[in-house]
Amino acid sequence: MNKQELARLAATHPKRYSLPQVFYRDRDVYRHDIEQIFLKSWLYAGHQSEIPEVGDWFLFEFDQESVIIVRSSETEINALLNVCQHRGSRVCVESSGCSKRLTCRYHGWTYDLDGELKAAAHMGESFDKSGIGLKKIHVGMLHGMIFINFAADPAPFSLVKEGLAGCLESYGLENAKVAHRQSYPIASNWKLAVENYTECYHCAPAHPEYSRGHGLAFPGSRSDQLGLDVMGRAAVCGLSDKTVNRMYMDAPAFGADFSYDRYPLIRDHLTGSFDGQPLAPLMGSIKDYDGGTTDLQVGPVTFGLMYCDHVVIYRFTPLGPDTADCDITWLVRGDAEEGVDYDREKLIWLWDVTTHADKTIIERNQKGVNSRYYAPGPLSEMENFTWNFLSWYLQSFRSAA
Amino acid sequence: MNKQELARLAATHPKRYSLPQVFYRDRDVYRHDIEQIFLKSWLYAGHQSEIPEVGDWFLFEFDQESVIIVRSSETEINALLNVCQHRGSRVCVESSGCSKRLTCRYHGWTYDLDGELKAAAHMGESFDKSGIGLKKIHVGMLHGMIFINFAADPAPFSLVKEGLAGCLESYGLENAKVAHRQSYPIASNWKLAVENYTECYHCAPAHPEYSRGHGLAFPGSRSDQLGLDVMGRAAVCGLSDKTVNRMYMDAPAFGADFSYDRYPLIRDHLTGSFDGQPLAPLMGSIKDYDGGTTDLQVGPVTFGLMYCDHVVIYRFTPLGPDTADCDITWLVRGDAEEGVDYDREKLIWLWDVTTHADKTIIERNQKGVNSRYYAPGPLSEMENFTWNFLSWYLQSFRSAA
Amino acid sequence: MNKQELARLAATHPKRYSLPQVFYRDRDVYRHDIEQIFLKSWLYAGHQSEIPEVGDWFLFEFDQESVIIVRSSETEINALLNVCQHRGSRVCVESSGCSKRLTCRYHGWTYDLDGELKAAAHMGESFDKSGIGLKKIHVGMLHGMIFINFAADPAPFSLVKEGLAGCLESYGLENAKVAHRQSYPIASNWKLAVENYTECYHCAPAHPEYSRGHGLAFPGSRSDQLGLDVMGRAAVCGLSDKTVNRMYMDAPAFGADFSYDRYPLIRDHLTGSFDGQPLAPLMGSIKDYDGGTTDLQVGPVTFGLMYCDHVVIYRFTPLGPDTADCDITWLVRGDAEEGVDYDREKLIWLWDVTTHADKTIIERNQKGVNSRYYAPGPLSEMENFTWNFLSWYLQSFRSAA
């Protein structure tokens, strides 16, 4: 469907209704999504603890793109496009590694950790290596979390950092480590996965494991007495009680969304575990469990679930028009020892079982949306954030037309 | 290929030749086939014995569509489109089930067995449930066989029922039960599967198991002495000797084809079995084996093979431009007991082995048709019904242009 | 992308740079490649020893096409398109076989070994079989190697035969036999596979097994002292020291490329084996190992590696826009006995391990080329043949526009 038709469809879409089928299936829409959303937004790549030594790198891949996230010095991390400047081969081919230089295994072209071409055999005397290199894209660091942005001139990452000032410090995320990281492929358009993440209307019907401990599964949990109690205890436990909600339509600039929002755990849960009991040592400078948990968002497709003893980072990316990747990272204190201070299986249990359930329901959603008899339906009062996301998404077609 | 070109190609197609490649591969043709053929025709969904109790349901799926066939009362069966009116999820997700209400597992929206929305939480005070519901499509019942039609205003199913009056009664199909049902996916366009079904030119070369007992494998079997003898015995055995052939170009209305046509079994076969001997108790009020068998057709893609002791229903539907589903149901008397009155393996043997062979030859046909050197070829005298089908199919492009 | 745009892109492409992404991904480009390259070129089908008896046949398949290569008499080999003239089924369905006549298993239409229709039942009295038959395409024989060409009026194969006169005789290829034949599917556009084959810039970085015995892995090997020594010994050993290079831009006619070019083995290797020691009896009339090996090319996508004791034939064909087939045949003397005169595992080791490595690097190349950040890069001095191939390929868009 061409840009004009899509822009018209987006402009006339009724408020608080799900999107027409074309937005979940069409290849032109998919191209729009990549170019107008993903290549212009801050995306979570990983955590600095994954590349502690100079030369350590890992790959971040989505759609047809591959980015090398590499520590180029003790204080700097680069994001380099993984496309050799000779005939286009991938340069790094494993999911992670460590090397002083990045050598393409096809013809041996060799780049330094800043991406500059340092060696290329048999290129003739007139060949000038200077100016040839792996393309560098923007990197933003947030308490040890690495974000990247493909845009030539992206929204300043400082907007996010400043906007979240005073919120994250006590979690000590720069000193955290990755306890587990896992990819969950979902046979759906990426937007159905984000829609699913941004509402808890489905929590009660679909996630008994989550709902038995988390107030958000029920409306009004943020403002009820329990919610107020949690907020009152936050400061004593060393947690911020700030609430910032600058996502999507309310973001300070395109692709630089952020939010920090707390809500109460219920039935005496202290954290997101099977029995509500602690899973790992308290994060950072947190002094005690205050009975709440935190929703974090950075950019349009990265979300965090911040418990007092661990943090779970979600990132949604498209692998194709009808396949999305849900990448989940579990962070614990950097000095926590697996098997001693935490049990990996228990740590990941809640969000692993919940994500498997989400994968199933999102895929059923895509199947239904594929029907020619699907039509946009009305959203509930518990889908406000989803509508915020959808409004913002629809608006992206305005400028594109 | 656009509609005008397709219409021109269809209009100028030489008589009694197979179709040009484009009709077996093109995505526009595929869309035409779904919209102009399948969504306007009576399609076999299943047998009422599959949903005996109120609340029993099963799914009928093809292309991107899913339909819930549900018994809503002791006397009524509904066909409801399986697309939640909230955000489009499939409502029923197993292949069959039983429930008093149909609840979407995503956000809990709940419908009654007529498809009307009965519960939807947190939708706000102004939300009006009335008028919201799963879309209902037309159902037609023929001696216990359930047919559906997606069209808003389909050809009356009464045309089929009246046209077949006096033909099917003695088989007692309303009291039959499903002994076995199986799906055979075929890697071909659906039309190659229907072409295969509608001619017995290939029976002698490709189906030795069928050909050793069925006269239709040889030309003229309906009019030879054996055929006349069978027709003469039919009445005594309680079978109709009527012949009605109102398919395709001869159908009384689009999508409401029907035919009832008998032919002799040979070499003393009494039924479609390995050795020609009975497989199950005589159906309905049939008194004896008359030495013949019956070809039934209802709508453009449902066929029946009616023996005196069992009935086999074939249905062909597209799953995509190059994948078809062949769904086969074996019916026996409702009071026949598996293991006592019939052996399931023996019952299904003939049409299972024949369908496996057909799958192979149809897939080879598609591979050949995919060649840029394929060109339509001349049909034989034993492919008259196939030409009737193809003529009708080509005509569907006339009105569409 | 339409023909005009492709022609413009091809016409303005900078010299000695890899191709833009569109040429490796676009479906219109793929169609161009099939129609303008593959259907007009001489393609290796197999070796006559594979069909020694009258009625022996094997299939050559690529893209959507299937060709029956059949020995129709003691002195003649036919290439027949494997599409039945009735309704288009494949006629031959195994990969090889032997039969006096070719009978379609769908409806029994029967052709003789020249492709002429000899039997078709129930076609009516007015049906005239004469003039109906499997389409024959051109065959060219080169020392027992069978080449085919789909073009109605292809470049004369005599150009190849005459151009290679005096080069191949001593190998006695007409008396050779196939010791092993294997297909290696590669998840890439076919051109990336041919680019890979036509340069040895990647040999040193990617093929240690090849590089330790073959001079071509290093620049200048043909003109250095070792190269001159080998050329000097060739005549004594019964080998031609001619060099002919008439490929791509230098071919005498489109699709009729040929080359014969020798280079030295190194580190005392006598042949392409693990330890450099002989693998099989000397081919044809070759008297001794001269320390060299030969690169052969016939047509644009068939290559040979000719050692004194065995010959390896490579053929690249597309199976789709992003899948190529690399078909490899190992030939030895016709009277060599497996297990006695040669060990099949040892014989195939070098080019099996090398092809597996190539498959990996070619697939990585495709992945990188798929990135929207891929851009054509400069070729090295060791990629002259690749540039010759690419120039010729780009030129094919000129006439097509």
Side-chain angles (χ1 to χ4, degrees):
Chain A
M1 193 177 273
N2 70 41
K3 287 183 180 183
Q4 284 69 35
E5 287 174 292
L6 289 169
R8 192 191 50 75
L9 215 53
T12 60
H13 187 71
K15 275 191 185 166
R16 300 184 64 83
Y17 270 74
S18 63
L19 303 182
Q21 187 192 64
V22 66
F23 290 101
Y24 299 113
R25 305 246 293 166
D26 189 82
R27 292 203 73 90
D28 292 329
V29 167
Y30 180 69
R31 192 158 31 233
H32 167 96
D33 290 2
I34 298 292
E35 290 170 7
Q36 302 300 325
I37 306 285
F38 285 88
L39 298 185
K40 293 183 175 176
S41 293
W42 287 102
L43 306 171
Y44 178 70
H47 188 269
Q48 64 184 16
S49 66
E50 295 173 84
I51 44 173
E53 307 294 330
V54 174
D56 282 348
W57 55 264
F58 65 86
L59 298 185
F60 168 26
E61 306 197 325
F62 78 98
D63 186 49
Q64 304 291 341
E65 305 308 334
S66 178
V67 186
I68 307 163
I69 311 294
V70 61
R71 180 173 292 277
S72 57
S73 76
E74 284 191 22
T75 57
E76 205 171 1
I77 287 171
N78 279 327
L80 306 171
L81 294 183
N82 191 10
V83 182
C84 184
Q85 299 298 298
H86 173 227
R87 267 166 46 201
S89 177
R90 291 276 174 93
V91 174
C92 295
V93 295
E94 279 87 27
S95 60
S96 66
C98 181
S99 47
K100 291 272 170 283
R101 295 202 158 181
L102 305 171
T103 297
C104 179
R105 298 207 212 152
Y106 199 164
H107 301 93
W109 282 36
T110 298
Y111 306 86
D112 68 17
L113 302 179
D114 284 316
E116 287 177 27
L117 182 61
K118 291 298 171 186
H122 310 304
M123 290 303 294
E125 292 192 359
S126 66
F127 182 68
D128 180 11
K129 278 195 290 286
S130 70
I132 297 182
L134 302 179
K135 190 178 154 57
K136 225 173 182 174
I137 62 171
H138 291 272
V139 172
M141 297 297 301
L142 180 69
H143 297 282
M145 295 182 287
I146 309 162
F147 288 83
I148 63 169
N149 196 313
F150 287 82
D153 191 19
F157 195 66
S158 57
L159 291 171
V160 173
K161 292 172 78 161
E162 287 159 18
L164 289 172
C167 296
L168 303 181
E169 287 75 0
S170 54
Y171 292 90
L173 288 173
E174 45 282 272
N175 298 316
K177 73 168 191 183
V178 173
H180 190 67
R181 186 167 185 171
Q182 193 168 329
S183 169
Y184 299 78
I186 302 173
S188 83
N189 186 270
W190 69 276
K191 292 186 289 295
L192 293 178
V194 172
E195 290 175 30
N196 174 273
Y197 193 92
T198 52
E199 50 91 356
C200 212
Y201 187 31
H202 72 280
C203 294
H207 298 311
E209 303 85 356
Y210 171 86
S211 300
R212 74 180 182 231
H214 293 70
L216 197 63
F218 310 97
S221 66
R222 282 194 168 100
S223 51
D224 66 12
Q225 191 53 49
L226 184 62
L228 298 176
D229 290 352
V230 163
M231 285 306 192
R233 270 197 301 273
V236 180
C237 296
L239 289 153
S240 168
D241 61 357
K242 285 177 75 171
T243 297
V244 289
N245 275 308
R246 302 293 303 277
M247 307 102 82
Y248 303 126
M249 295 300 278
D250 308 317
F254 191 93
D257 322 65
F258 56 89
S259 90
Y260 177 90
D261 204 355
R262 308 205 76 228
Y263 65 88
L265 296 169
I266 56 176
R267 298 197 188 94
D268 298 327
H269 277 59
L270 301 178
T271 189
S273 61
F274 184 82
D275 55 6
Q277 292 305 299
L279 288 167
L282 288 162
M283 300 284 291
S285 60
I286 296 172
K287 297 182 204 122
D288 201 358
Y289 295 88
D290 71 344
T293 186
T294 302
D295 268 343
L296 174 73
Q297 179 169 350
V298 180
V301 294
T302 304
F303 307 92
L305 294 141
M306 309 185 77
Y307 298 101
C308 292
D309 57 356
H310 71 291
V311 168
V312 188
I313 310 284
Y314 269 74
R315 182 194 66 208
F316 296 96
T317 49
L319 301 178
D322 51 12
T323 318
D325 178 56
C326 172
D327 174 89
I328 309 184
T329 301
W330 283 262
L331 293 168
V332 294
R333 281 184 80 93
D335 55 10
E337 207 179 321
E338 188 181 339
V340 178
D341 298 312
Y342 66 95
D343 177 308
R344 189 197 293 225
E345 292 298 303
K346 289 183 179 170
L347 180 76
I348 72 169
W349 171 79
L350 177 61
W351 291 102
D352 180 65
V353 71
T354 301
T355 304
H356 278 295
D358 277 329
K359 173 181 161 67
T360 300
I361 59 188
I362 295 165
E363 291 178 348
R364 285 174 192 159
N365 195 1
Q366 180 73 56
K367 281 189 174 184
V369 165
N370 288 349
S371 165
R372 50 179 56 70
Y373 297 102
Y374 161 74
L379 301 184
S380 72
E381 295 172 331
M382 288 182 78
E383 290 165 297
N384 291 343
F385 285 118
T386 303
W387 177 243
N388 195 354
F389 163 62
L390 293 176
S391 307
W392 166 83
Y393 174 73
L394 288 167
Q395 206 181 42
S396 71
F397 288 88
R398 201 174 291 178
S399 50
Chain B
M1 193 177 275
N2 70 41
K3 287 184 180 184
Q4 284 68 35
E5 287 173 293
L6 289 170
R8 191 191 49 76
L9 215 53
T12 60
H13 188 70
K15 276 190 185 167
R16 302 184 63 83
Y17 269 74
S18 62
L19 302 182
Q21 187 192 63
V22 68
F23 291 101
Y24 299 113
R25 305 246 293 166
D26 189 82
R27 292 204 73 91
D28 292 328
V29 166
Y30 181 68
R31 191 159 31 233
H32 167 97
D33 290 3
I34 298 293
E35 291 171 7
Q36 302 300 324
I37 306 285
F38 284 89
L39 299 184
K40 294 184 175 176
S41 292
W42 287 102
L43 306 171
Y44 179 71
H47 188 269
Q48 64 183 19
S49 65
E50 295 172 84
I51 44 173
E53 307 295 331
V54 174
D56 282 349
W57 56 263
F58 65 85
L59 297 185
F60 167 27
E61 305 197 324
F62 78 97
D63 185 48
Q64 303 291 339
E65 306 308 333
S66 177
V67 187
I68 307 163
I69 310 296
V70 61
R71 179 174 292 277
S72 56
S73 76
E74 282 190 24
T75 56
E76 204 171 2
I77 287 171
N78 279 327
L80 306 171
L81 294 183
N82 191 10
V83 182
C84 184
Q85 299 299 298
H86 173 226
R87 268 167 46 203
S89 176
R90 292 274 174 93
V91 175
C92 294
V93 295
E94 279 87 27
S95 60
S96 66
C98 180
S99 46
K100 291 272 170 283
R101 295 202 157 182
L102 305 171
T103 297
C104 180
R105 298 207 212 151
Y106 199 163
H107 301 93
W109 283 34
T110 298
Y111 305 86
D112 69 16
L113 302 180
D114 283 317
E116 287 177 26
L117 181 62
K118 291 297 172 188
H122 310 302
M123 290 303 295
E125 293 193 358
S126 65
F127 182 68
D128 180 12
K129 279 196 290 285
S130 72
I132 298 183
L134 302 179
K135 191 178 152 57
K136 225 173 183 175
I137 62 171
H138 291 271
V139 172
M141 298 296 302
L142 181 70
H143 296 283
M145 295 182 286
I146 309 161
F147 288 83
I148 62 168
N149 196 314
F150 287 81
D153 191 20
F157 195 66
S158 57
L159 291 172
V160 173
K161 292 172 78 160
E162 289 158 17
L164 289 173
C167 295
L168 304 180
E169 287 76 358
S170 53
Y171 292 91
L173 288 173
E174 46 282 271
N175 298 316
K177 73 169 191 183
V178 173
H180 189 68
R181 185 168 184 170
Q182 192 168 329
S183 169
Y184 299 78
I186 302 173
S188 82
N189 187 270
W190 69 276
K191 292 187 288 295
L192 292 178
V194 172
E195 290 175 31
N196 174 274
Y197 192 92
T198 52
E199 50 92 356
C200 212
Y201 188 31
H202 72 280
C203 294
H207 298 312
E209 303 85 356
Y210 171 86
S211 299
R212 72 179 183 232
H214 293 69
L216 197 63
F218 310 96
S221 66
R222 283 194 168 99
S223 52
D224 66 12
Q225 190 54 49
L226 184 61
L228 298 176
D229 290 352
V230 164
M231 285 307 192
R233 271 197 299 273
V236 181
C237 297
L239 289 153
S240 167
D241 61 357
K242 284 178 73 170
T243 296
V244 289
N245 275 307
R246 301 292 304 275
M247 307 102 81
Y248 303 124
M249 297 299 278
D250 307 317
F254 190 93
D257 322 64
F258 57 88
S259 90
Y260 177 91
D261 203 356
R262 308 204 76 231
Y263 64 87
L265 297 169
I266 55 176
R267 297 196 188 96
D268 298 326
H269 277 59
L270 300 178
T271 189
S273 62
F274 184 83
D275 55 7
Q277 292 304 301
L279 288 167
L282 287 162
M283 300 284 292
S285 60
I286 296 172
K287 296 182 204 123
D288 201 358
Y289 295 89
D290 71 343
T293 186
T294 302
D295 268 343
L296 175 73
Q297 180 169 349
V298 180
V301 294
T302 304
F303 306 92
L305 294 140
M306 309 184 77
Y307 298 101
C308 291
D309 57 357
H310 70 292
V311 168
V312 188
I313 310 285
Y314 268 74
R315 182 195 66 209
F316 296 96
T317 49
L319 301 179
D322 50 13
T323 318
D325 177 56
C326 172
D327 174 89
I328 309 184
T329 301
W330 282 262
L331 293 167
V332 294
R333 280 185 80 94
D335 56 10
E337 205 179 322
E338 187 181 340
V340 178
D341 298 312
Y342 66 95
D343 177 309
R344 188 197 293 225
E345 292 298 302
K346 287 182 179 169
L347 180 77
I348 72 168
W349 172 79
L350 176 60
W351 291 101
D352 180 65
V353 70
T354 301
T355 304
H356 277 295
D358 277 329
K359 174 181 162 68
T360 300
I361 59 188
I362 295 166
E363 291 178 350
R364 283 174 192 159
N365 195 0
Q366 180 73 54
K367 282 189 174 185
V369 165
N370 288 349
S371 165
R372 51 180 54 73
Y373 297 101
Y374 161 74
L379 301 183
S380 72
E381 295 172 331
M382 287 182 78
E383 290 164 296
N384 291 344
F385 285 118
T386 302
W387 177 242
N388 195 354
F389 164 62
L390 293 176
S391 307
W392 166 83
Y393 174 72
L394 288 167
Q395 206 181 40
S396 71
F397 287 90
R398 201 174 292 179
S399 49
Chain C
M1 192 176 275
N2 70 39
K3 286 184 180 183
Q4 285 68 35
E5 287 173 292
L6 289 169
R8 192 192 49 76
L9 215 53
T12 60
H13 188 70
K15 274 190 187 167
R16 300 185 64 83
Y17 271 73
S18 63
L19 303 182
Q21 187 193 64
V22 67
F23 291 101
Y24 299 114
R25 305 246 292 167
D26 189 82
R27 293 204 72 93
D28 291 329
V29 166
Y30 181 68
R31 192 158 32 233
H32 167 98
D33 289 3
I34 298 293
E35 290 170 7
Q36 301 301 323
I37 306 284
F38 285 88
L39 299 184
K40 293 184 174 177
S41 292
W42 287 101
L43 306 171
Y44 178 71
H47 188 268
Q48 64 183 18
S49 65
E50 295 173 83
I51 43 174
E53 306 294 330
V54 174
D56 283 348
W57 56 263
F58 65 86
L59 298 185
F60 167 26
E61 306 198 325
F62 77 98
D63 186 49
Q64 304 290 343
E65 306 307 334
S66 177
V67 186
I68 307 163
I69 311 294
V70 60
R71 179 173 293 277
S72 56
S73 76
E74 281 191 25
T75 56
E76 205 171 1
I77 286 171
N78 279 327
L80 306 171
L81 294 184
N82 191 9
V83 181
C84 184
Q85 299 298 298
H86 173 225
R87 268 169 43 203
S89 176
R90 292 275 174 92
V91 175
C92 295
V93 295
E94 280 88 26
S95 60
S96 65
C98 180
S99 46
K100 291 272 171 283
R101 294 202 158 182
L102 305 172
T103 298
C104 180
R105 298 207 212 152
Y106 200 163
H107 300 92
W109 283 34
T110 298
Y111 306 87
D112 68 16
L113 302 180
D114 284 317
E116 287 177 26
L117 181 61
K118 291 297 172 186
H122 310 303
M123 289 302 295
E125 292 192 359
S126 65
F127 182 67
D128 180 11
K129 278 195 290 287
S130 71
I132 296 183
L134 302 178
K135 190 178 153 58
K136 225 173 182 174
I137 62 171
H138 291 271
V139 172
M141 298 296 301
L142 180 69
H143 296 283
M145 296 181 287
I146 308 161
F147 288 83
I148 63 169
N149 197 312
F150 287 82
D153 190 19
F157 195 67
S158 57
L159 291 172
V160 173
K161 293 172 78 160
E162 288 158 18
L164 289 172
C167 295
L168 304 180
E169 286 75 359
S170 54
Y171 293 90
L173 288 172
E174 46 281 272
N175 298 317
K177 73 167 191 182
V178 173
H180 190 67
R181 186 167 184 171
Q182 192 168 330
S183 170
Y184 299 78
I186 302 173
S188 82
N189 186 270
W190 69 276
K191 292 186 287 295
L192 292 179
V194 172
E195 290 175 31
N196 175 272
Y197 193 92
T198 52
E199 51 90 358
C200 213
Y201 188 31
H202 73 280
C203 294
H207 297 312
E209 303 85 357
Y210 171 86
S211 300
R212 74 181 184 230
H214 293 69
L216 198 63
F218 310 97
S221 67
R222 281 192 169 101
S223 52
D224 67 12
Q225 190 54 49
L226 184 62
L228 298 176
D229 289 353
V230 163
M231 285 307 192
R233 271 197 299 273
V236 181
C237 296
L239 290 152
S240 167
D241 61 356
K242 284 177 74 170
T243 296
V244 290
N245 275 308
R246 302 293 303 276
M247 306 101 82
Y248 302 125
M249 296 298 279
D250 307 317
F254 190 93
D257 321 66
F258 56 88
S259 91
Y260 178 91
D261 203 356
R262 309 204 75 228
Y263 64 87
L265 297 169
I266 56 176
R267 297 195 189 99
D268 298 328
H269 277 58
L270 302 177
T271 188
S273 63
F274 184 82
D275 55 6
Q277 292 304 301
L279 288 167
L282 287 162
M283 299 285 291
S285 60
I286 296 172
K287 295 181 204 122
D288 200 359
Y289 295 88
D290 72 343
T293 185
T294 301
D295 268 343
L296 175 74
Q297 179 169 348
V298 180
V301 294
T302 304
F303 306 92
L305 293 141
M306 309 184 78
Y307 298 101
C308 291
D309 57 358
H310 71 290
V311 168
V312 187
I313 310 284
Y314 268 75
R315 181 195 68 207
F316 297 96
T317 49
L319 301 178
D322 50 13
T323 319
D325 177 57
C326 171
D327 175 89
I328 310 185
T329 301
W330 283 263
L331 294 167
V332 295
R333 282 184 78 94
D335 55 10
E337 207 179 320
E338 188 181 341
V340 178
D341 297 312
Y342 66 94
D343 176 308
R344 189 198 290 226
E345 291 299 302
K346 288 183 178 169
L347 180 78
I348 73 168
W349 172 78
L350 176 60
W351 290 101
D352 180 64
V353 71
T354 301
T355 304
H356 278 294
D358 276 330
K359 172 181 163 67
T360 300
I361 58 187
I362 294 166
E363 291 178 349
R364 284 175 193 159
N365 196 2
Q366 180 74 54
K367 282 189 174 185
V369 164
N370 288 349
S371 165
R372 50 181 53 72
Y373 298 101
Y374 161 75
L379 301 183
S380 72
E381 294 173 330
M382 287 182 77
E383 291 165 295
N384 291 343
F385 285 118
T386 302
W387 177 243
N388 194 354
F389 164 62
L390 293 176
S391 309
W392 166 83
Y393 174 72
L394 288 167
Q395 207 181 41
S396 71
F397 288 89
R398 201 173 292 177
S399 49

